[in-house]
Structures are given as structure tokens and as C-alpha cells.
Amino acid sequence: QVQLVESGGGLVQAGDSLRLSCAASGRTFSSYAMGWFRQAPGKEREFVATVRWSGNVGYADYADSVKGRFTMSRENTQNTIVYLQMNSLKPEDTAVYYCGASARGGSWLKVDMDYWGKGTLVTVSS
């Protein structure tokens, strides 16, 4: 059974840091693009960050709104685990954060995600 399980969300103040984790299991995800997305109340789910593949080279991409503040990383061991280090958090970062996985290893698009986690809530107070 494929599962993506996010953890690490919580309530923090503006300027604080959080690290989110997503554990992917149930199949081999080493060749999958992995991404973080978020959905704020009343808004659509939006792209935050991805670690994806171009040939055998993995690289990270970020939404402009989080560049320089968020860092995504991944571990491909027995299971794939991805992290999202979030620094200098702002109230506008408040959202449910979702982990996604795409068999299209070069994709960062929401529509291309084959699997989703259930999300973890991040609340940033001002």
C-alpha cells in the first residue's frame, strides 16, 4: 500500500523555523519527482518546492514566494523521505502542506502528482 505521510507542522511565530518531513512507502520512489505543495483556506493548492530529475541529475526548484527561505531535500534509502526546511516564516505561509510524488521524474506540476499525503498544518502567527 502506497503511503505518503507528512509530519512536522505546528503553530509558530513569524520569523521562526519548522522542518516538515514526508515518508514515502509502499513502492520505490527513488526515480519519482517529489514535491511540496500547500493550500491556504479558500485558495487552491499551490506548488512550493520540488526535487526532481533531469536524466540522472537531481535538482531542486522553488516557488518565488519561498526562494531563499525554504530548502527541500530528499533521502533515497530503504524508503524515500523528503524534507522541507522552512526558515523566516511569514503569516502568509500559513497553509496545509502536502507532499506529492510523480512518476514523471522531471515534473513539478500538481496535475502530474500520482500520490498525495494527507497534509500537515502550518500556522504562522504575526
Side-chain angles (χ1 to χ4, degrees):
Q1 178 183 1
V2 172
Q3 281 190 310
L4 301 181
V5 180
E6 303 96 336
S7 61
L11 172 62
V12 297
Q13 293 186 331
D16 286 350
S17 298
L18 274 178
R19 189 175 83 153
L20 306 183
S21 301
C22 171
S25 61
R27 67 174 305 140
T28 301
F29 285 95
S30 57
S31 65
Y32 277 56
M34 302 294 296
W36 286 99
F37 297 77
R38 68 186 180 186
Q39 188 166 14
K43 296 187 177 181
E44 291 193 359
R45 192 171 300 187
E46 65 176 6
F47 166 74
V48 175
T50 182
V51 174
R52 56 193 181 101
W53 303 101
S54 177
N56 291 325
V57 178
Y59 59 96
D61 281 328
Y62 301 93
D64 288 343
S65 59
V66 306
K67 279 181 182 176
R69 300 188 298 122
F70 291 11
T71 303
M72 182 174 176
S73 58
R74 66 185 289 168
E75 296 178 358
N76 288 326
T77 51
Q78 183 175 358
N79 293 314
T80 293
I81 303 174
V82 295
Y83 303 96
L84 186 68
Q85 177 66 43
M86 307 187 295
N87 298 329
S88 303
L89 282 161
K90 304 176 181 180
E92 51 264 43
D93 295 318
T94 295
V96 177
Y97 283 71
Y98 296 91
C99 175
S102 174
R104 297 168 179 82
S107 178
W108 72 97
L109 299 176
K110 181 175 61 176
V111 69
D112 285 339
M113 295 297 126
D114 298 295
Y115 302 103
W116 291 99
K118 293 183 178 181
T120 185
L121 176 63
V122 173
T123 305
V124 185
S125 64
S126 58

